[in-house]
Every structure is written in structure tokens, then in C-alpha cells.
Amino acid sequence: VIWRGDSVIEGIPGILEKLRAAGKRMYFVTNNSTKSRAGYKKKFDSLGLDVPAEEIFSSSFAAAAYLEQTKFKESGKKVYIIGEVGICEELDLIGVPWIGGPDDTGKAPDMGPGGKLDHDKDIGCVIVGFDRHVNYYKIQTAQLSINENPGCEFVATNLDAVTHLTDAQEWAGNGSMVGAIKGCTGVEPTVVGKPSPLMIDYLVDKLQIEKDKICMVGDRLDTDVLFGTDNGLKTCLVLSGVTSEEKLLGEANKITPDYYCDSINAFFQ
């Protein structure tokens, strides 16, 4: 919607300025958990986009908000992270202890004769977010924690099949990592990112916004548009990302936005 990889879509800065001038309130909701809200603020700044930090809602923040809602900190347990620094930073902000994440990059379990991986019995939740350094050590730790630690929760930041790491091609998304853990545990995760209602419920409650006054603009049918339709919002699909007009209008698609356009540049045409 705003960028592809590390490149701003042409015309976007001007459109955001026009929307603000028209009195529209904007909130940027992303399923990408690799950055915290502070990390995304830096990315917006680096791309020349003036977006206040309080307008940014990432799935890393949603995971932390979920743990706050469920009073996880009071359990005295810790979180095991498959994911990147964004989740770590958001958990630090709410004082929830964690292990794993970037600290387990490059690790490998002993898989020789009699080899085993000793996991922490105090892990009470496994959070799986997009991880460019996912490995067998992390998968095995998550598997042991969920299967052997009583009451251990399994939380996924999102189930996106593909993601745009670069603007050159699509890359396997967090759905591939969540699928690995689901496959070895048989457990369905609690999903906190789009299309889960957690983030929109948080926005509505915190900002006192009526749902029927909100339009969800996104480039994915199965996350963005579904996030809107499932939660009582108006929806607008932009064709500047992962969804083509052919896919939108194809017989196989069952998700229909209220509006669609090539990009948000069309808003003022």
C-alpha cells in the first residue's frame, strides 16, 4: 500500500498529505512483526514519510497487547520467540521476560547418538513471527515447549503465505513458520494479526472510533480485506501489492472488497 520492499510507491507521500489535509485520521496496521512500533517509525522516517509513532500498529505490538490482556506477566512464565527484534522490543516494553529470537540464530541441537535439546520448563508461551533466521533449534524448542510444558500457549503474529522482503519477488511468509510449529504439535495458534479482530478492537476502544466510520485499505484479500469485512469496516483493495485484478475477479475468489483501485493515488483522481 505504502511501499514495496524498501521503496516507496510513487506518489504516496503527497496522497498522505492530502488525506491529512482533508481531516482523515490514518492508522498503519501491518502484519510484519520484524520491527516494533519504534522500528517502523524509523522506516517511515527513512523513506521521507512523516507518520507519528502512535499511528503505527504492528503485529509485534499486537502480540504484546494480547499478553497484556491475558495477564501473562502474572503467570511468572517466560516467552519463547521465533521471530525478530520487533517482538523482543515490544515484550521489553511491557516487562515480559523472553528468550530465543535473534539470540538463537545459528544454533543447532545435538542430533548425534543419544543427543537431545534441553528446553526451559518455564516457557509458558511460544510466539511465532516472521524470522529470516528460523532454524531447527528454534523449531525443536517450540515443539518441546508446546508439547511438554503444561498450559503453554501458541501465538502467531499472522498466517501470511508470502511477504515482500524485496520488490523483486514474493518470499515465503510467516505462514510457513507457523505451519512448521502447527505441524509438529497439532495445535492451532491464537492469531493476533490481521484478520484477527484484536488490533481493530484495540483501536476502537483506545481511540473511540466507530467501526462503520473506518475504511480498511490493503493489498491482500485474505488478510486486509477479510480483516475489514469480518470486523464491520468498509474495505478498499489496492492492486499495488500482492493481489492482481485477475485474482480479485476470478471465480475462485470469495472475498469481495467494497472498492478497489490501482493504488491509493486513485483516491484524489
Side-chain angles (χ1 to χ4, degrees):
V1 178
I2 305 297
W3 59 62
R4 284 194 207 91
D6 290 316
S7 305
V8 176
I9 295 173
E10 187 177 355
I12 296 303
I15 293 297
L16 297 183
E17 288 178 12
K18 286 183 178 181
L19 286 168
R20 292 192 193 283
K24 303 301 180 184
R25 299 166 70 185
M26 291 180 288
Y27 297 92
F28 300 86
V29 182
T30 174
N31 265 356
N32 191 330
S33 64
T34 60
K35 295 180 177 65
S36 61
R37 287 165 296 170
Y40 270 107
K41 171 62 178 164
K42 290 179 182 177
K43 179 163 184 175
F44 276 105
D45 290 346
S46 73
L47 295 174
L49 299 170
D50 184 17
V51 173
E54 58 267 22
E55 292 182 354
I56 303 167
F57 290 84
S58 61
S59 62
S60 53
F61 167 70
Y66 171 77
L67 294 186
E68 274 199 306
Q69 288 178 354
T70 57
K71 296 181 168 47
F72 178 82
K73 187 176 179 180
E74 294 177 10
S75 72
K77 300 287 187 178
K78 64 187 71 169
V79 172
Y80 184 75
I81 297 172
I82 292 180
E84 302 190 13
V85 68
I87 301 171
C88 309
E89 290 178 352
E90 293 291 352
L91 294 189
D92 285 342
L93 288 174
I94 62 170
V96 168
W98 58 270
I99 58 174
D103 293 343
D104 284 352
T105 297
K107 289 186 179 180
D110 176 6
M111 293 178 282
K116 61 180 293 192
L117 191 156
D118 293 316
H119 75 288
D120 193 322
K121 303 299 192 296
D122 284 332
I123 294 171
C125 177
V126 172
I127 296 178
V128 180
F130 185 74
D131 190 335
R132 281 166 285 201
H133 303 285
V134 66
N135 56 39
Y136 195 62
Y137 182 97
K138 296 180 182 182
I139 292 171
Q140 175 66 350
T141 301
Q143 180 272 127
L144 290 170
S145 300
I146 294 169
N147 283 338
E148 297 187 7
N149 291 4
C152 183
E153 283 198 81
F154 175 19
V155 173
T157 59
N158 67 83
L159 301 177
D160 292 2
V162 295
T163 188
H164 281 140
L165 279 181
T166 69
D167 57 7
Q169 63 181 182
E170 291 183 340
W171 298 76
N174 194 47
S176 63
M177 289 134 207
V178 175
I181 307 308
K182 180 180 171 182
C184 61
T185 62
V187 175
E188 289 286 345
T190 297
V191 182
V192 296
K194 298 174 290 186
S196 162
L198 188 142
M199 282 200 278
I200 194 64
D201 288 345
Y202 182 91
L203 275 170
V204 168
D205 180 63
K206 184 178 177 65
L207 304 168
Q208 297 298 297
I209 305 173
E210 296 178 20
K211 286 186 177 182
D212 61 3
K213 301 295 185 184
I214 302 172
C215 182
M216 177 64 202
V217 181
D219 68 329
R220 292 175 183 268
L221 288 164
D222 59 348
T223 55
D224 299 323
V225 174
L226 197 61
F227 179 65
T229 57
D230 281 358
N231 293 292
L233 318 178
K234 290 291 186 183
T235 57
C236 178
L237 177 77
V238 292
L239 303 177
S240 53
V242 301
T243 306
S244 66
E245 187 173 30
E246 181 182 9
K247 181 176 180 180
L248 169 65
L249 301 178
E251 289 185 9
N253 176 44
K254 306 301 180 187
I255 304 169
T256 305
D258 294 296
Y259 314 100
Y260 77 96
C261 56
D262 287 336
S263 77
I264 67 171
N265 285 306
F267 285 7
F268 290 92
Q269 292 177 355

